[in-house]
Amino acid sequence: MKETPRPVHSLVLPGVYRDSVFLMKLSGRARERSGAARVTALMATSRNKDLLRQSGLLTRDIEAAGSDDLVVAIDAGSQPGKVVEKTVLDLLAKPPRALRTPLEQLAPRSLPMACERLEGANLAMISVAGEYAKYEAAQALSAGLDVFLYSDGLSLADELALKRLAAQKGLFVMGPDCGAAVVGGTPLGFANRMRPGTVGIVSTSATGLQEVGCLLDRCGLGISTAYGVGGRDMTDDIGGISSQTALERLARDPDTRFIVVIGTNPGGKTRRKLAGLYAGLGKPVLLRYIGTDEYGIEDAAGIPHADTLRDAVVMTAGRIASVLDMSDIDLPSAGAGQGAGALHGYISGLFSGLALCQESAQICRAPLPGAIYANVPVPGVDSISGQEPVRGHAFVDLGADGITMGAPHPLLYPERKLERIVRELCASEVSVVLTDVILGNAVAPDYAAHLVQALDRAAAASGGASRGKRVVVSVCGTEADTPSRSSQIDILRRSGVTVLGNNAAAARHAAALCLEGVAR
Amino acid sequence: MNNELRVINIGLGDFLSSLTEDGVPFADVDWKPPAQGDPELIDILFDLTAGFRDDNGESRIDAANQTGLRRILGAQPVVRRLLPAREFIADFEENVILHAGPHIEWEDMCGPMQGAIVGAVLYEGLAKDAGEAGRLLRKRSIVCQTTFSRGVVAPMAGVVSRSMPLFLAENETAGNVAYCPINEGIGHALRFGVHSKPVLDRLKWLEKELAPALDRALVSLGGVAIKPLMSQALLMGDEMHQRNVAASLAFYRSVAVELCDAADGTDDLKRIVSFMTSENEQFFLNLAMPAAKTAMDTARNIPYSTLITAMNRNGVDFGLHLSATGDRWFTTPSLYPKGLYFPGYGEADANPDMGDSAIVESYGIGGMALGAVPSVTNLIGAGNLMESLEFSYDMNHICIGRDPDLAIPNCDFAGTPAGIDIRRVVATGILPLIVSGVAHHLPGVGQVGTGIVTPPMEVMNKALRAFHSLVTA
């Protein structure tokens, strides 16, 4: 062998011990990974030093090292010696990542441990009670994760602290009280399986997001990303911190070409701030602010708005494709002549989400004479808790904080909502029950069948009287949901439920039924 | 479709369906309310997690803790000398006796600590019998001070007087030092409160024969690095608090050759070798302790740091030190160890947890590294080996890092957990595990068992509240 002796790099790590098997493996791995010619890591015992001497790898530093010292002799070959050294040090510092012991079966008991288990985690989904959720969310942000915060019941101060921290760290808090989002094509929370497409959504309300996303899906269009930002994000208390992050992310997202913003009761200051943002996104924005009739700020900024969620979809679709059959979003229309008869009573509107409830109250307010009540804020509509009986048309969001009071959301456990429907159908002053059927991830399965059973229970309890009343629904969902929207509609129609194509249409239909009653 | 989501779920399992369907990687947390649901502590934890940020949004607390962790991991303790305490501690007065843990008055001490103190008084020739020793202590002619005040750590009663030989450990990285007496062996020993003639005779022998010889050996070696020995011993099934068999032999191996020259004749050498290799399997504990202290002391006094820097007990109270609060003691009554008792003894005989030895747990070995020690499965009340690994795994929940140089083979060579963050302790309710000898509650009886104990939860809550007041002030 006539090899020219090459320079040998050496590392001496005083007082660092590893066993010989470990060091042999490390040597091999370091050589493979760095492309060095030879890497030999050993404890510097006199025997090992002899071995190094024989193979021409003994340097003066290694010679001087003691038996407590870990030494590495490196013949770097064509590689820079420093690179090989770094490879060795990295391998030494890093324990093997994946636990191959039975310990990997153990569930992590804290967020930091979960992050260690799932390297590169980037989102925390938090749905524990609000008083605990705030701490978990703070931990997640601290660990550099975005947060999907389903929990409600956080104080405004805590929400603000979390959102400011997120903004400072370039992170994102969806929520609190965020029920739906679609990120990377995957529905989060209660979100539906929607077609991928070019529309980005920012919404303070889960059901608003779902209604728009599902109607777009029905037009054959789809969404890029849909962010829920939490019911209070657009209030002046919070000032739209998460809305701003959502808009910035959509502006950067190459898949997003159009943006729909759904806001419930946005504050004046925040509206001005957001109006300024919309104009600078470089992508067309369409607004649907629910609970307000006045769009002076946005009109001045040249940002268009829609009057219903359905219209927001039609207007957006119109921008994307000039020739598009959008008739499907109004289908199916109401079956004619069912349960004909005088309807002298009130509408009882029972909803699983804020946006659908609010929009229904807003739509019914104009045509209907007499008192209208809601447990969600709508101009011109009187405020109620949602629990008490009222003499008038009532619109109740059964998912609202004040009603769930820590009980599971009606989309997860619909029993209380169904009992309420039975009660309303048995009440003599109610002639129309207007309600939503919402499909999506984690939603209680086959809700339509349970609703039909509830109608039967109401008929039994009222001696058949409830059969003379109308149950008007729209089904928020897609064909890709399980169960599919059409399968749920079939079940409902077979039982005489009037199914409309979208939430706004259902509300109009209910109002029209009552007006007919008044006209008679 | 872009799907780079990687999700941590805390709460409803229902929401995981879509992630499963789409093959999105997730980890589901086995969640319990933080801080046992205490709203005040949760508010504090929230503030200490979300708040105290620099201009870039980085947590000052996390940054301070990382500084502490780096120092702890970087420590290279070397045991250099073994000399009478007065040689190291110049102002160690003749009438001063040191004890483990937070300060406690003679009258308030537990039985075994009183027994040990009396033993030290007799050992120093300050009284002719136990009665006179008690009188001198009551009069304060003889004064009791903490080991901590003199840079010493000592197990159980932790009683040290000025003639007793101390090991000097020096952290080569930072240059700081700590001291610890020689381990006397198990059973009847001063540290368990026994001051019989055989115990005092053995202490004298340690002072007069073993210490000078071993010191000469250490000097001729230039000191013995302790961390590599710890690293080897973990691979051989020691955690270095309850079990030190391998570590003690590894230390003996390091000094054996030099000891041959250093000892005063063959008989002397034989007694020393016999003591170090077969009579006292706990020999290494008293090397691990000062070594750990030199590492932990470098993490003291870091503003904003929530790391635990020491856990010491005096047989009545449990004492805790946090980095940012420096030398301030947080104390609450100690718990009783749960464990295995020697024949004829039981729980009713036990004294509350005692000693400075939990410095090794503060460092990350001992009870923090039980996964390394299949042989203690029974001791810690684990039903099987897997359960004992779980104990060790749990400790990672309360630590901010691991020491890659102290690998635990049974945990796939993951390092020992290092850097106990009191925020995580309070949040998870998982307490550091401490293995400990059990002393009889009466003076003079000695060790009656060995077991496992934790700090009281309340001392953790108390320290966290105080830290919060300090940083919000």
Side-chain angles (χ1 to χ4, degrees), chain A residues 17-18 100-101 108-109 113 116-117 119 122-123 125 127 134-136 142 184 186-187 193 441, chain B residues 2-4 6 8 10 12 18 21-22 30-31 43 53 232 393-394 397 402 404-405 410 412:
Chain A
Y17 174 82
R18 295 288 190 281
R100 295 203 197 290
T101 59
R109 284 161 67 181
M113 277 299 276
E116 188 176 289
R117 183 68 61 82
E119 214 177 350
N122 50 20
L123 178 76
M125 296 200 315
S127 51
K134 64 176 183 177
Y135 167 65
E136 303 296 347
S142 216
T186 297
R193 289 253 163 228
N441 180 50
Chain B
N2 142 50
N3 217 336
E4 290 155 7
R6 295 175 75 80
I8 308 288
I10 299 177
L12 296 171
S18 59
E21 288 160 16
D22 291 2
D30 179 11
W31 185 84
D43 281 345
R53 301 268 156 183
Q232 292 173 51
Y393 172 77
D394 274 349
H397 285 93
R402 292 195 173 100
D405 294 336
N410 303 343
D412 217 2

CSV table of all heavy atoms in Angstrom, one decimal, chain A residues 17-18 100-101 108-109 113 116-117 119 122-123 125 127 134-136 142 184 186-187 193 441, chain B residues 2-4 6 8 10 12 18 21-22 30-31 43 53 232 393-394 397 402 404-405 410 412:
chain,number,residue,atom,x,y,z
A,17,TYR,N,-18.1,10.2,28.4
A,17,TYR,CA,-18.0,8.7,28.2
A,17,TYR,C,-19.1,8.1,27.3
A,17,TYR,O,-20.3,8.5,27.5
A,17,TYR,CB,-18.1,8.1,29.6
A,17,TYR,CG,-18.1,6.5,29.5
A,17,TYR,CD1,-16.9,5.8,29.3
A,17,TYR,CD2,-19.3,5.9,29.5
A,17,TYR,CE1,-17.0,4.4,29.2
A,17,TYR,CE2,-19.4,4.5,29.4
A,17,TYR,CZ,-18.2,3.8,29.2
A,17,TYR,OH,-18.2,2.4,29.0
A,18,ARG,N,-18.7,7.3,26.4
A,18,ARG,CA,-19.7,6.4,25.7
A,18,ARG,C,-19.1,5.0,25.7
A,18,ARG,O,-17.9,4.9,25.6
A,18,ARG,CB,-19.9,6.9,24.3
A,18,ARG,CG,-20.6,8.3,24.2
A,18,ARG,CD,-22.1,8.2,24.6
A,18,ARG,NE,-22.7,9.5,24.2
A,18,ARG,CZ,-22.7,10.6,25.0
A,18,ARG,NH1,-21.9,10.6,26.1
A,18,ARG,NH2,-23.3,11.7,24.6
A,100,ARG,N,-37.8,3.2,20.6
A,100,ARG,CA,-38.2,1.9,20.2
A,100,ARG,C,-38.5,1.0,21.3
A,100,ARG,O,-38.8,-0.2,21.2
A,100,ARG,CB,-37.1,1.3,19.3
A,100,ARG,CG,-36.8,2.1,18.1
A,100,ARG,CD,-36.1,1.2,17.0
A,100,ARG,NE,-35.5,2.1,16.0
A,100,ARG,CZ,-36.3,2.8,15.2
A,100,ARG,NH1,-37.6,2.8,15.2
A,100,ARG,NH2,-35.6,3.6,14.3
A,101,THR,N,-38.6,1.5,22.5
A,101,THR,CA,-39.0,0.8,23.7
A,101,THR,C,-40.5,0.8,23.8
A,101,THR,O,-41.2,1.6,23.0
A,101,THR,CB,-38.4,1.4,24.9
A,101,THR,OG1,-38.9,2.7,25.0
A,101,THR,CG2,-36.9,1.4,24.9
A,108,PRO,N,-48.4,11.0,25.6
A,108,PRO,CA,-47.8,12.2,26.2
A,108,PRO,C,-48.8,12.8,27.1
A,108,PRO,O,-50.0,12.9,26.8
A,108,PRO,CB,-47.4,13.1,25.1
A,108,PRO,CG,-48.2,12.7,23.9
A,108,PRO,CD,-48.6,11.2,24.1
A,109,ARG,N,-48.3,13.3,28.3
A,109,ARG,CA,-49.3,13.9,29.3
A,109,ARG,C,-49.2,15.4,29.3
A,109,ARG,O,-49.8,16.0,30.1
A,109,ARG,CB,-49.0,13.3,30.7
A,109,ARG,CG,-49.5,11.9,30.8
A,109,ARG,CD,-48.9,11.2,31.9
A,109,ARG,NE,-49.3,11.7,33.2
A,109,ARG,CZ,-48.8,11.2,34.4
A,109,ARG,NH1,-48.0,10.2,34.4
A,109,ARG,NH2,-49.2,11.8,35.5
A,113,MET,N,-44.3,17.5,25.9
A,113,MET,CA,-43.9,16.1,25.6
A,113,MET,C,-44.5,15.6,24.3
A,113,MET,O,-43.9,14.8,23.5
A,113,MET,CB,-44.4,15.2,26.7
A,113,MET,CG,-43.4,15.1,27.9
A,113,MET,SD,-41.8,14.5,27.4
A,113,MET,CE,-42.1,12.7,27.5
A,116,GLU,N,-42.4,16.8,21.6
A,116,GLU,CA,-41.2,15.9,21.5
A,116,GLU,C,-41.5,14.7,20.7
A,116,GLU,O,-40.8,14.2,19.9
A,116,GLU,CB,-40.7,15.6,22.9
A,116,GLU,CG,-39.4,14.9,22.8
A,116,GLU,CD,-38.8,14.7,24.2
A,116,GLU,OE1,-38.4,15.6,24.9
A,116,GLU,OE2,-38.8,13.5,24.6
A,117,ARG,N,-42.7,14.1,21.0
A,117,ARG,CA,-43.2,12.9,20.3
A,117,ARG,C,-43.4,13.1,18.8
A,117,ARG,O,-43.0,12.3,18.0
A,117,ARG,CB,-44.4,12.4,21.0
A,117,ARG,CG,-45.0,11.1,20.4
A,117,ARG,CD,-44.1,9.9,20.8
A,117,ARG,NE,-43.9,9.7,22.2
A,117,ARG,CZ,-44.7,9.1,23.0
A,117,ARG,NH1,-45.8,8.6,22.4
A,117,ARG,NH2,-44.5,8.9,24.2
A,119,GLU,N,-42.3,15.3,16.1
A,119,GLU,CA,-41.4,16.3,15.7
A,119,GLU,C,-42.0,17.2,14.6
A,119,GLU,O,-42.7,16.7,13.7
A,119,GLU,CB,-40.1,15.6,15.1
A,119,GLU,CG,-38.9,16.4,15.4
A,119,GLU,CD,-37.6,15.7,15.0
A,119,GLU,OE1,-37.7,14.5,14.6
A,119,GLU,OE2,-36.6,16.3,15.0
A,122,ASN,N,-47.1,21.6,14.2
A,122,ASN,CA,-47.3,23.0,13.8
A,122,ASN,C,-48.6,23.5,14.2
A,122,ASN,O,-48.9,24.7,13.9
A,122,ASN,CB,-47.0,23.3,12.3
A,122,ASN,CG,-47.7,22.3,11.4
A,122,ASN,OD1,-48.7,21.7,11.9
A,122,ASN,ND2,-47.2,22.1,10.2
A,123,LEU,N,-49.5,22.7,14.7
A,123,LEU,CA,-50.8,23.2,15.1
A,123,LEU,C,-51.3,22.4,16.3
A,123,LEU,O,-51.2,21.2,16.4
A,123,LEU,CB,-51.8,22.9,14.0
A,123,LEU,CG,-53.3,23.4,14.3
A,123,LEU,CD1,-53.4,24.9,14.2
A,123,LEU,CD2,-54.3,22.7,13.3
A,125,MET,N,-54.7,21.7,18.4
A,125,MET,CA,-56.2,21.8,18.5
A,125,MET,C,-56.5,21.6,19.9
A,125,MET,O,-56.3,20.6,20.6
A,125,MET,CB,-56.8,20.6,17.7
A,125,MET,CG,-56.5,20.6,16.2
A,125,MET,SD,-57.7,19.6,15.3
A,125,MET,CE,-57.9,18.1,16.2
A,127,SER,N,-59.6,21.9,22.8
A,127,SER,CA,-61.0,21.9,23.0
A,127,SER,C,-61.4,21.6,24.5
A,127,SER,O,-62.5,21.1,24.8
A,127,SER,CB,-61.7,20.9,22.1
A,127,SER,OG,-61.1,19.6,22.2
A,134,LYS,N,-56.8,28.3,28.1
A,134,LYS,CA,-55.9,29.5,27.9
A,134,LYS,C,-54.5,29.1,28.2
A,134,LYS,O,-53.6,29.5,27.5
A,134,LYS,CB,-56.4,30.6,28.8
A,134,LYS,CG,-56.3,30.4,30.3
A,134,LYS,CD,-56.7,31.6,31.0
A,134,LYS,CE,-56.5,31.4,32.5
A,134,LYS,NZ,-56.8,32.5,33.3
A,135,TYR,N,-54.2,28.3,29.2
A,135,TYR,CA,-52.9,27.9,29.5
A,135,TYR,C,-52.3,27.0,28.5
A,135,TYR,O,-51.2,27.2,28.0
A,135,TYR,CB,-52.8,27.2,30.9
A,135,TYR,CG,-51.5,26.5,31.2
A,135,TYR,CD1,-50.3,27.3,31.3
A,135,TYR,CD2,-51.4,25.1,31.3
A,135,TYR,CE1,-49.1,26.6,31.5
A,135,TYR,CE2,-50.2,24.5,31.5
A,135,TYR,CZ,-49.1,25.2,31.6
A,135,TYR,OH,-47.9,24.6,31.8
A,136,GLU,N,-53.1,26.0,28.0
A,136,GLU,CA,-52.6,25.1,27.0
A,136,GLU,C,-52.3,25.9,25.7
A,136,GLU,O,-51.3,25.6,25.0
A,136,GLU,CB,-53.7,24.0,26.7
A,136,GLU,CG,-54.1,23.2,27.9
A,136,GLU,CD,-52.9,22.4,28.5
A,136,GLU,OE1,-51.9,22.3,27.8
A,136,GLU,OE2,-53.1,21.9,29.6
A,142,SER,N,-46.1,29.3,22.8
A,142,SER,CA,-44.7,29.3,23.3
A,142,SER,C,-43.8,28.3,22.6
A,142,SER,O,-42.6,28.6,22.4
A,142,SER,CB,-44.7,29.1,24.8
A,142,SER,OG,-43.8,29.8,25.5
A,184,GLY,N,-54.8,23.1,4.8
A,184,GLY,CA,-54.1,22.1,4.0
A,184,GLY,C,-55.0,21.0,3.5
A,184,GLY,O,-54.7,19.8,3.3
A,186,THR,N,-57.6,19.8,4.9
A,186,THR,CA,-58.2,18.9,6.0
A,186,THR,C,-59.2,19.7,6.8
A,186,THR,O,-58.8,20.8,7.3
A,186,THR,CB,-57.1,18.3,6.9
A,186,THR,OG1,-56.3,17.5,6.1
A,186,THR,CG2,-57.7,17.5,8.0
A,187,PRO,N,-60.4,19.2,6.9
A,187,PRO,CA,-61.4,19.9,7.7
A,187,PRO,C,-61.0,19.8,9.2
A,187,PRO,O,-60.7,18.7,9.7
A,187,PRO,CB,-62.7,19.2,7.5
A,187,PRO,CG,-62.4,18.1,6.6
A,187,PRO,CD,-61.0,18.0,6.3
A,193,ARG,N,-66.2,18.4,4.3
A,193,ARG,CA,-65.3,18.0,3.2
A,193,ARG,C,-65.7,18.8,2.0
A,193,ARG,O,-66.6,18.5,1.3
A,193,ARG,CB,-65.5,16.5,2.9
A,193,ARG,CG,-65.0,15.6,3.9
A,193,ARG,CD,-63.7,14.9,3.5
A,193,ARG,NE,-63.0,14.4,4.6
A,193,ARG,CZ,-61.7,14.6,4.9
A,193,ARG,NH1,-61.0,15.3,4.1
A,193,ARG,NH2,-61.2,14.0,5.9
A,441,ASN,N,-67.2,17.2,10.0
A,441,ASN,CA,-66.3,16.4,10.8
A,441,ASN,C,-66.8,16.3,12.2
A,441,ASN,O,-67.2,17.4,12.8
A,441,ASN,CB,-64.9,17.0,10.7
A,441,ASN,CG,-63.9,16.2,11.5
A,441,ASN,OD1,-63.8,15.0,11.3
A,441,ASN,ND2,-63.1,16.8,12.3
B,2,ASN,N,-51.6,20.3,-0.6
B,2,ASN,CA,-50.6,20.6,0.5
B,2,ASN,C,-51.2,20.1,1.8
B,2,ASN,O,-52.2,20.4,2.2
B,2,ASN,CB,-50.3,22.1,0.5
B,2,ASN,CG,-50.2,22.6,1.9
B,2,ASN,OD1,-49.4,22.0,2.7
B,2,ASN,ND2,-50.9,23.6,2.3
B,3,ASN,N,-50.4,19.2,2.4
B,3,ASN,CA,-50.9,18.7,3.7
B,3,ASN,C,-49.8,18.6,4.6
B,3,ASN,O,-49.3,17.5,4.9
B,3,ASN,CB,-51.7,17.4,3.6
B,3,ASN,CG,-52.9,17.4,4.5
B,3,ASN,OD1,-52.8,18.2,5.5
B,3,ASN,ND2,-53.9,16.7,4.2
B,4,GLU,N,-49.3,19.7,5.1
B,4,GLU,CA,-48.1,19.6,6.0
B,4,GLU,C,-48.5,19.7,7.4
B,4,GLU,O,-47.7,20.0,8.3
B,4,GLU,CB,-47.1,20.7,5.6
B,4,GLU,CG,-46.4,20.4,4.3
B,4,GLU,CD,-46.0,21.7,3.6
B,4,GLU,OE1,-46.0,22.7,4.2
B,4,GLU,OE2,-45.5,21.6,2.4
B,6,ARG,N,-49.2,19.0,11.1
B,6,ARG,CA,-48.8,18.1,12.1
B,6,ARG,C,-49.4,18.6,13.5
B,6,ARG,O,-49.0,19.7,13.9
B,6,ARG,CB,-47.3,18.0,12.2
B,6,ARG,CG,-46.6,17.4,11.0
B,6,ARG,CD,-45.1,17.5,11.0
B,6,ARG,NE,-44.6,16.4,11.8
B,6,ARG,CZ,-44.4,15.1,11.4
B,6,ARG,NH1,-44.8,14.8,10.3
B,6,ARG,NH2,-43.9,14.3,12.2
B,8,ILE,N,-51.1,18.6,17.4
B,8,ILE,CA,-51.2,18.1,18.8
B,8,ILE,C,-52.6,18.4,19.2
B,8,ILE,O,-53.1,19.5,19.1
B,8,ILE,CB,-50.3,19.0,19.7
B,8,ILE,CG1,-48.8,19.1,19.2
B,8,ILE,CG2,-50.3,18.5,21.1
B,8,ILE,CD1,-48.0,17.8,19.3
B,10,ILE,N,-55.5,18.5,22.1
B,10,ILE,CA,-55.7,18.6,23.6
B,10,ILE,C,-57.2,18.7,23.7
B,10,ILE,O,-57.7,19.8,23.5
B,10,ILE,CB,-54.9,19.7,24.2
B,10,ILE,CG1,-53.4,19.6,24.0
B,10,ILE,CG2,-55.3,19.9,25.7
B,10,ILE,CD1,-52.6,20.7,24.5
B,12,LEU,N,-61.2,17.1,22.8
B,12,LEU,CA,-62.1,16.2,22.2
B,12,LEU,C,-61.4,15.2,21.2
B,12,LEU,O,-60.8,15.7,20.2
B,12,LEU,CB,-63.2,16.9,21.5
B,12,LEU,CG,-64.1,17.8,22.4
B,12,LEU,CD1,-65.0,18.7,21.5
B,12,LEU,CD2,-64.9,16.9,23.3
B,18,SER,N,-61.1,13.6,11.0
B,18,SER,CA,-60.7,14.1,9.7
B,18,SER,C,-59.2,13.9,9.6
B,18,SER,O,-58.7,13.7,8.5
B,18,SER,CB,-61.1,15.5,9.5
B,18,SER,OG,-60.5,16.4,10.5
B,21,GLU,N,-58.6,10.3,8.7
B,21,GLU,CA,-59.0,10.0,7.3
B,21,GLU,C,-57.9,10.6,6.3
B,21,GLU,O,-57.6,9.9,5.3
B,21,GLU,CB,-60.3,10.7,7.0
B,21,GLU,CG,-61.5,10.0,7.7
B,21,GLU,CD,-62.7,11.0,7.8
B,21,GLU,OE1,-62.7,12.0,7.1
B,21,GLU,OE2,-63.6,10.6,8.6
B,22,ASP,N,-57.4,11.7,6.7
B,22,ASP,CA,-56.4,12.3,5.7
B,22,ASP,C,-55.0,11.9,6.0
B,22,ASP,O,-54.1,12.4,5.3
B,22,ASP,CB,-56.5,13.9,5.8
B,22,ASP,CG,-57.8,14.4,5.2
B,22,ASP,OD1,-58.6,13.5,4.8
B,22,ASP,OD2,-58.0,15.6,5.2
B,30,ASP,N,-52.8,12.9,26.7
B,30,ASP,CA,-53.6,12.3,27.7
B,30,ASP,C,-53.7,13.4,28.8
B,30,ASP,O,-52.9,13.5,29.7
B,30,ASP,CB,-52.8,11.1,28.3
B,30,ASP,CG,-53.5,10.4,29.4
B,30,ASP,OD1,-54.7,10.8,29.6
B,30,ASP,OD2,-52.9,9.6,30.1
B,31,TRP,N,-54.8,14.2,28.7
B,31,TRP,CA,-54.8,15.5,29.3
B,31,TRP,C,-55.6,15.4,30.7
B,31,TRP,O,-56.5,14.7,30.8
B,31,TRP,CB,-55.6,16.5,28.4
B,31,TRP,CG,-55.6,17.9,28.9
B,31,TRP,CD1,-54.6,18.8,28.8
B,31,TRP,CD2,-56.7,18.5,29.6
B,31,TRP,NE1,-55.0,20.0,29.4
B,31,TRP,CE2,-56.3,19.8,29.9
B,31,TRP,CE3,-57.9,18.1,30.1
B,31,TRP,CZ2,-57.1,20.7,30.6
B,31,TRP,CZ3,-58.7,18.9,30.7
B,31,TRP,CH2,-58.3,20.3,31.0
B,43,ASP,N,-53.8,30.8,36.5
B,43,ASP,CA,-53.6,32.2,36.1
B,43,ASP,C,-52.1,32.5,36.1
B,43,ASP,O,-51.6,33.1,35.2
B,43,ASP,CB,-54.3,33.2,37.0
B,43,ASP,CG,-55.8,33.3,36.6
B,43,ASP,OD1,-56.2,32.8,35.5
B,43,ASP,OD2,-56.6,33.8,37.4
B,53,ARG,N,-41.9,38.5,27.9
B,53,ARG,CA,-41.4,38.3,26.5
B,53,ARG,C,-40.4,39.4,26.2
B,53,ARG,O,-40.6,40.5,26.6
B,53,ARG,CB,-42.5,38.3,25.5
B,53,ARG,CG,-43.5,37.2,25.7
B,53,ARG,CD,-43.2,36.0,25.0
B,53,ARG,NE,-43.8,34.8,25.6
B,53,ARG,CZ,-43.6,33.6,25.2
B,53,ARG,NH1,-42.8,33.4,24.1
B,53,ARG,NH2,-44.1,32.5,25.8
B,232,GLN,N,-21.0,5.5,32.8
B,232,GLN,CA,-20.8,4.1,32.8
B,232,GLN,C,-21.7,3.4,33.7
B,232,GLN,O,-22.3,2.3,33.4
B,232,GLN,CB,-19.4,3.7,33.2
B,232,GLN,CG,-18.3,4.2,32.2
B,232,GLN,CD,-16.9,4.0,32.8
B,232,GLN,OE1,-16.6,2.9,33.3
B,232,GLN,NE2,-16.1,5.0,32.8
B,393,TYR,N,-40.0,7.8,32.5
B,393,TYR,CA,-40.6,8.6,31.3
B,393,TYR,C,-41.3,9.8,31.8
B,393,TYR,O,-41.2,10.9,31.3
B,393,TYR,CB,-41.5,7.7,30.6
B,393,TYR,CG,-42.3,8.3,29.5
B,393,TYR,CD1,-41.7,8.6,28.2
B,393,TYR,CD2,-43.7,8.6,29.6
B,393,TYR,CE1,-42.4,9.2,27.2
B,393,TYR,CE2,-44.4,9.2,28.6
B,393,TYR,CZ,-43.8,9.5,27.4
B,393,TYR,OH,-44.5,10.1,26.4
B,394,ASP,N,-42.1,9.6,32.9
B,394,ASP,CA,-42.8,10.8,33.5
B,394,ASP,C,-42.0,12.0,33.8
B,394,ASP,O,-42.4,13.1,33.7
B,394,ASP,CB,-43.6,10.3,34.7
B,394,ASP,CG,-44.9,9.7,34.4
B,394,ASP,OD1,-45.3,9.8,33.2
B,394,ASP,OD2,-45.6,9.2,35.3
B,397,HIS,N,-41.6,14.9,31.6
B,397,HIS,CA,-42.7,15.9,31.5
B,397,HIS,C,-42.3,17.1,32.3
B,397,HIS,O,-42.8,18.2,32.1
B,397,HIS,CB,-44.0,15.3,32.1
B,397,HIS,CG,-44.7,14.4,31.1
B,397,HIS,ND1,-44.5,13.0,31.2
B,397,HIS,CD2,-45.5,14.6,30.1
B,397,HIS,CE1,-45.2,12.5,30.2
B,397,HIS,NE2,-45.8,13.4,29.6
B,402,ARG,N,-32.5,16.9,28.3
B,402,ARG,CA,-31.9,15.6,28.6
B,402,ARG,C,-30.4,15.8,28.6
B,402,ARG,O,-29.9,16.6,27.8
B,402,ARG,CB,-32.4,14.6,27.7
B,402,ARG,CG,-33.9,14.2,27.8
B,402,ARG,CD,-34.1,12.9,27.1
B,402,ARG,NE,-35.5,12.4,27.3
B,402,ARG,CZ,-36.5,12.6,26.4
B,402,ARG,NH1,-36.2,13.2,25.3
B,402,ARG,NH2,-37.7,12.1,26.7
B,404,PRO,N,-27.4,14.2,27.2
B,404,PRO,CA,-27.0,13.2,26.2
B,404,PRO,C,-25.8,12.4,26.7
B,404,PRO,O,-25.5,11.3,26.3
B,404,PRO,CB,-26.7,13.9,24.9
B,404,PRO,CG,-26.5,15.3,25.3
B,404,PRO,CD,-27.2,15.6,26.6
B,405,ASP,N,-25.0,13.0,27.7
B,405,ASP,CA,-23.8,12.2,28.2
B,405,ASP,C,-24.2,11.3,29.3
B,405,ASP,O,-23.4,10.6,29.8
B,405,ASP,CB,-22.8,13.2,28.7
B,405,ASP,CG,-22.2,14.1,27.6
B,405,ASP,OD1,-22.3,13.6,26.4
B,405,ASP,OD2,-21.8,15.2,27.8
B,410,ASN,N,-32.1,1.5,28.9
B,410,ASN,CA,-33.5,0.9,28.8
B,410,ASN,C,-34.5,1.9,28.1
B,410,ASN,O,-35.5,1.5,27.7
B,410,ASN,CB,-34.1,0.6,30.2
B,410,ASN,CG,-33.2,-0.3,30.9
B,410,ASN,OD1,-32.4,-1.0,30.3
B,410,ASN,ND2,-33.4,-0.4,32.2
B,412,ASP,N,-33.8,3.5,25.5
B,412,ASP,CA,-33.2,3.6,24.1
B,412,ASP,C,-32.2,4.7,24.1
B,412,ASP,O,-32.1,5.5,23.2
B,412,ASP,CB,-34.3,3.9,23.1
B,412,ASP,CG,-34.0,3.1,21.8
B,412,ASP,OD1,-32.9,2.4,21.8
B,412,ASP,OD2,-34.7,3.3,20.8
